[in-house]
Amino acid sequence: MFSPRFLRLRSAASLSSRCVSGRAPDMAEGNPLLHVSNVRNRLREIVGASTNWSDHQQALAERVSLSTMLAQSQSVLPAKRMRDSFLEVHLPLGSEPQLREKYLTFHNTVRFGRILEDLDSLAVLISYSHTFNPALKRSPLSIVTALVDKIDMRQQVIYPDCDIKFTGHVTWVGKTSIEAKMHMSQYRDGSYSPVLDATFVMVARDPENKRAAFVNPLQPEGPEEQKLLQEGQENKSRRVELSTASLLKVAPTDQERKIVHSLFLNTLDPKTVSFRSRILPPNSVWMEDAKLKGLEICHPQERNIFNRIFGGFLMRKAYELGWANACAFGGCRPSLVAVDDILFQKPVEIGSLLLLSSQVCYTQGKHIQVRVHSEVFDPLTHQHNTTNVFHFTFMSDRDVPNIVPQTYGESMLYLDGKRHFNQTVEH
């Protein structure tokens, strides 16, 4: 088991299997473990962020002076091992009923949006563990989430009264970017069972979060870690390939064009056979009628350690809106299959008006692919700026209607949804 550099953590191996109630033994006995509520406190200590909103300007001004501590090249930074960034964090839902309220839904299930928030905070802390310099009191780096590459659910049920454990470490680095893999498991019937696997990509910036900053190289130990490093490089290559083939940049493939034309032919009215006369096929829903929108006013309470809106908060709100849309579309409470390719394009400033728009863009059998687009709206200039795009794959307990596009733009959304769904299935 890895030993982290600057956090006192207890190995999962120390957890005995004598507890069957869903409360892990160490949590019940009060042994020192990193509590999920302490993750963000630790992050504030690392960067020197203030916990008071009234002091945030002074804290930001003090961080500017840390720019002199930045490395001028990656070659001057010492290589780190994967074990240097390993962290284990506990979410004691079974042993702390007062904490459980924060994670509980009306249906007595766990709010997955809260899990997304915890994963985001953990990914940042893992990245700081990798770049930790014991000679410095505060880190000069501003590490933020660039992309949620993938979250795969390994079981559909998350119990609200059983302790949860998160583990993770850095698995690949570029010059200024870091890939962190995390795993979530839950204690039940005397042992921990896997719940999900997540891959986040983080980027390092200067203290003012204006330009890229170098991070420590990664030195794998043994064939297993070498394999993880290679997978990280392959993930990067795949992301570059997908970005190059984006429907926002290039035309659909021949096969995709045939799909769009087939969808169009299925909506022609056989009585008129006119381009303007369209009818909805049986067991189908127009894409235009499968939308759900929301608005968030971004208050200081939801800020991160750099006084922008916390990425986990954005993910939670997007997930909950996407889930509600899938629920309304499928007519039942859907379960999450995967979160795919969440791109953080721009930070969201405190005080912003955040517009969220969810769209069912592809369906197949019991599966519902939902795309959530978030943008900041300036009421004074009436300008809209995209900040994030989210992709969620849900599964209903019954077959759902087919989603049918009418316009060319909707057809591109359909194909994009199909691509993300296929990646989930193939993965």
Side-chain angles (χ1 to χ4, degrees):
M1 180 62 69
F2 296 154
S3 298
R5 295 279 291 176
F6 57 84
L7 290 173
R8 291 187 61 199
L9 305 174
R10 182 176 293 272
S11 166
S14 68
L15 297 175
S16 72
S17 60
R18 63 182 180 274
C19 176
V20 296
S21 66
R23 182 174 65 180
D26 275 349
M27 301 306 296
E29 296 165 6
N31 291 332
L33 296 165
L34 184 63
H35 193 286
V36 70
S37 64
N38 293 329
V39 171
R40 294 183 74 175
N41 292 333
R42 180 59 183 147
L43 287 173
R44 292 188 185 96
E45 294 174 5
I46 292 170
V47 302
S50 173
T51 57
N52 298 320
W53 168 242
S54 59
D55 299 332
H56 79 284
Q57 291 290 359
Q58 179 181 348
L60 287 177
E62 291 175 353
R63 279 192 57 79
V64 174
S65 63
L66 300 178
S67 295
T68 58
M69 302 178 184
L70 292 173
Q72 298 304 305
S73 69
Q74 189 179 46
S75 60
V76 302
L77 293 170
K80 295 295 188 71
R81 303 165 298 179
M82 291 187 184
R83 69 175 67 185
D84 294 328
S85 61
F86 179 83
L87 294 179
E88 179 179 313
V89 176
H90 287 254
L91 173 57
L93 296 181
S95 49
E96 295 188 18
Q98 68 276 15
L99 176 66
R100 194 182 308 156
E101 290 290 320
K102 177 181 176 182
Y103 289 82
L104 205 59
T105 73
F106 171 76
H107 300 282
N108 200 37
T109 58
V110 171
R111 296 175 61 183
F112 189 76
R114 292 293 189 191
I115 300 298
L116 290 175
E117 289 183 326
D118 294 337
L119 287 171
D120 190 58
S121 294
L122 178 58
V124 177
L125 186 53
I126 286 172
S127 300
Y128 273 116
S129 302
H130 174 78
T131 60
F132 176 66
N133 183 348
L136 301 179
K137 292 183 178 180
R138 290 183 293 170
S139 173
L141 297 176
S142 299
I143 298 179
V144 295
T145 306
L147 175 74
V148 178
D149 189 38
K150 196 74 173 177
I151 299 178
D152 287 314
M153 303 301 298
R154 299 184 63 178
Q155 71 176 38
Q156 298 302 321
V157 179
I158 304 177
Y159 300 96
D161 55 353
C162 296
D163 287 357
I164 286 174
K165 176 178 67 177
F166 299 97
T167 58
H169 60 85
V170 170
T171 51
W172 175 88
V173 299
K175 289 186 177 181
T176 62
S177 57
I178 296 172
E179 179 191 89
K181 284 188 180 295
M182 295 165 288
H183 309 281
M184 172 180 154
S185 56
Q186 189 161 41
Y187 193 83
R188 186 171 173 82
D189 296 331
S191 63
Y192 277 100
S193 299
V195 176
L196 64 80
D197 303 316
T199 304
F200 281 50
V201 178
M202 322 301 290
V203 291
R205 313 277 290 175
D206 68 359
E208 297 181 86
N209 197 14
K210 291 183 177 180
R211 59 183 179 86
F214 294 106
V215 298
N216 301 70
L218 183 63
Q219 180 61 51
E221 297 177 312
E224 183 178 345
E225 293 188 7
Q226 187 63 49
K227 181 180 178 182
L228 287 174
L229 187 66
Q230 179 61 33
E231 288 176 355
Q233 185 60 44
E234 292 171 357
N235 287 339
K236 179 187 176 182
S237 300
R238 172 179 52 82
R239 290 191 293 268
V240 172
E241 182 180 345
L242 290 174
S243 176
T244 303
S246 169
L247 291 167
L248 294 172
K249 298 178 181 179
V250 298
T253 65
D254 288 341
Q255 181 60 34
E256 288 175 333
R257 285 195 287 266
K258 291 178 180 178
I259 291 174
V260 170
H261 192 248
S262 176
L263 288 168
F264 169 73
L265 293 179
N266 287 338
T267 63
L268 289 180
D269 188 343
K271 297 179 181 178
T272 61
V273 194
S274 168
F275 285 106
R276 294 186 177 183
S277 181
R278 309 281 293 278
I279 60 171
L280 188 64
N283 191 35
S284 300
V285 175
W286 292 120
M287 187 176 285
E288 175 65 26
D289 298 328
K291 293 181 179 180
L292 198 60
K293 297 185 178 183
L295 166 69
E296 293 292 332
I297 300 175
C298 300
H299 297 291
Q301 182 183 11
E302 308 301 341
R303 71 189 187 277
N304 62 16
I305 54 177
F306 304 115
N307 291 300
R308 264 55 179 271
I309 294 301
F310 175 42
F313 170 78
L314 299 174
M315 284 193 283
R316 173 164 65 89
K317 289 299 180 179
Y319 167 79
E320 290 174 350
L321 183 66
W323 182 91
N325 198 8
C327 181
F329 183 85
C332 66
R333 298 178 64 250
S335 57
L336 180 68
V337 176
V339 180
D340 178 41
D341 195 23
I342 295 179
L343 181 63
F344 290 78
Q345 298 183 13
K346 292 183 179 180
V348 178
E349 301 292 342
I350 295 170
S352 298
L353 295 181
L354 185 69
L355 304 180
L356 295 167
S357 178
S358 67
Q359 173 73 72
V360 175
C361 53
Y362 182 76
T363 58
Q364 182 174 311
K366 297 180 179 180
H367 290 90
I368 306 169
Q369 188 71 34
V370 180
R371 180 182 188 269
V372 180
H373 176 266
S374 72
E375 59 183 1
V376 170
F377 172 66
D378 188 332
L380 301 180
T381 64
H382 290 254
Q383 288 185 332
H384 294 252
N385 290 302
T386 297
T387 59
N388 304 83
V389 179
F390 307 84
H391 300 274
F392 304 103
T393 305
F394 296 99
M395 186 170 65
S396 174
D397 61 4
R398 67 196 73 168
D399 287 344
V400 298
N402 298 315
I403 199 75
V404 181
Q406 284 182 286
T407 66
Y408 185 80
E410 288 182 347
S411 296
M412 295 304 100
L413 283 177
Y414 180 92
L415 294 178
D416 187 60
K418 187 176 188 301
R419 287 182 178 185
H420 281 92
F421 175 76
N422 289 341
Q423 290 173 28
T424 297
V425 173
E426 292 168 1
H427 188 80

